[in-house]
Amino acid sequence: MPKPVALVTGASGGIGADLARELARDGYDLVLAARGVEGMQKLASELDAQSAVIPADLSKPGAAAQLAKELENRGITIDVLINNAGLGETGPFAESDPSRLSEMLQVNMVALTELTRALLPPMIARKRGGIMLVASTAAFQPGPFMAVYYATKAYVLSLGEALAFELRGTGVTVTTLCPGPTRTNFAHAAGNPNSPLFKRQSMIMSSAEVARIGYRAMKAGRPVVITGFANKLLAMSARYSPHSMVLKIAASLNTPG
Ligand SMILES: NC(=O)c1ccc[n+]([C@@H]2O[C@H](COP(=O)([O-])OP(=O)(O)OC[C@H]3O[C@@H](n4cnc5c(N)ncnc54)[C@H](OP(=O)(O)O)[C@@H]3O)[C@@H](O)[C@H]2O)c1
């Protein structure tokens, strides 16, 4: 029997690389997609699985369709899709770099949506499959000074919950993973490694732990998973606390130190 195949976007490091490790340990072959070919090749060489490395810049319009076409050309059928690639940006919206904002919208929302749309119908036809969307605890409230990032993650959570509902009974599950602060390159790339959000070492989880929790939830077919008790508490309290207070707290957590 050929092994099932999982596609992981943003597999060149961080949470994506650890999700790929979880999948390989569980008997999947892998397709790794991101820009950082070197990181993916290094990961592929360490995995006990067949791995195809596909360079993909998901910030380019049409990148998801191109990736789906490349899979078709190589005759690869995807059983599990992990939409993990993502990036953030910190600072006042009015001063932000417009091209960085477009990049964020493309990677975090457009490519994730288009890749899901492209790979879902064959899963439905086969009556099995799993899709993970990596959102964030940022999805649960607006986030001044990371306004666009938080908004993209609210989109991802909304999409994921709706798709999980639509796909009930089809054999295909959709799980939205909502990590809190996690030790990866994310904070550095987003320009806020010294913000209060990332300064509290006790609140920061390892990417291996986040991947383990996320993968377990996906296997159980859970629609949404928030990593860790403290993050669950924060996400839930953001939903039920006065909005003015939630905005103030989010702003103070994101303000670069
Ligand atoms: N770390 C956190 O605190 C945290 C918290 C909540 C949610 N998340 C989410 O978790 C996901 C993974 O992030 P991470 O923490 O593992 O950060 P990371 O270490 O910075 O990894 C981000 C991944 O996304 C990929 N990516 C970025 N831009 C891309 C592009 N244009 N095309 C293709 N791939 C691209 C990167 O690959 P290349 O640069 O090689 O292309 C990299 O593999 C993201 O969706 C992030 O929003 C992170």
Side-chain angles (χ1 to χ4, degrees):
M1 281 284 285
K3 285 175 160 189
V5 181
L7 165 62
V8 182
T9 69
S12 60
I15 297 169
D18 278 310
L19 282 164
R21 290 185 180 100
E22 289 289 333
L23 285 151
R25 271 195 289 271
D26 206 26
Y28 282 83
D29 282 337
L30 271 305
V31 178
L32 310 174
R35 293 166 305 178
V37 173
E38 209 176 300
M40 293 190 289
Q41 280 171 343
K42 191 163 169 285
L43 174 65
S45 69
E46 105 189 20
L47 297 177
D48 187 15
Q50 272 201 35
S51 310
V53 169
I54 302 186
D57 183 349
L58 297 174
S59 70
K60 302 280 183 252
Q66 210 177 318
L67 180 53
K69 187 80 194 142
E70 181 65 27
L71 293 168
E72 197 184 313
N73 291 344
R74 295 186 189 206
I76 299 174
T77 300
I78 298 299
D79 298 285
V80 164
L81 165 63
I82 308 281
N83 275 302
N84 162 77
L87 64 145
E89 174 73 353
T90 312
F93 176 77
E95 294 168 20
S96 55
D97 174 358
S99 64
R100 177 80 176 169
L101 296 186
S102 298
E103 196 184 330
M104 204 172 8
L105 298 172
Q106 282 288 338
V107 177
N108 295 9
M109 299 195 301
V110 178
L112 168 143
T113 306
E114 291 179 350
L115 208 47
T116 303
R117 175 62 184 84
L119 300 183
L120 175 60
M123 291 184 190
I124 296 174
R126 291 195 301 277
K127 298 188 171 57
R128 67 189 158 79
I131 296 176
M132 180 187 286
L133 309 184
V134 180
S136 165
T137 47
F140 294 89
Q141 69 280 299
F145 306 110
M146 285 189 89
V148 174
Y149 177 72
Y150 276 55
T152 65
K153 293 303 181 177
Y155 169 88
V156 173
L157 177 60
S158 174
L159 179 73
E161 288 197 85
L163 294 187
F165 185 91
E166 278 189 31
L167 292 168
R168 287 173 311 162
T170 63
V172 182
T173 61
V174 177
T175 299
T176 305
L177 170 61
C178 301
T182 307
R183 208 167 293 111
T184 67
N185 193 47
F186 173 84
H188 180 74
N192 69 350
N194 297 319
S195 68
L197 191 62
F198 282 95
K199 259 185 161 170
R200 278 196 228 146
Q201 287 299 321
S202 60
M203 283 287 290
I204 303 181
M205 290 174 85
S206 72
S207 55
E209 196 178 1
V210 167
R212 188 169 43 76
I213 294 168
Y215 185 58
R216 196 181 295 167
M218 191 178 83
K219 275 189 85 172
R222 285 174 57 193
V224 179
V225 56
I226 302 169
T227 57
F229 179 71
N231 290 325
K232 279 191 191 103
L233 203 66
L234 279 175
M236 288 308 120
S237 57
R239 276 205 166 157
Y240 300 112
S241 305
H243 229 54
S244 55
M245 188 174 93
V246 169
L247 280 159
K248 258 189 209 152
I249 293 171
S252 69
L253 287 175
N254 293 331
T255 306

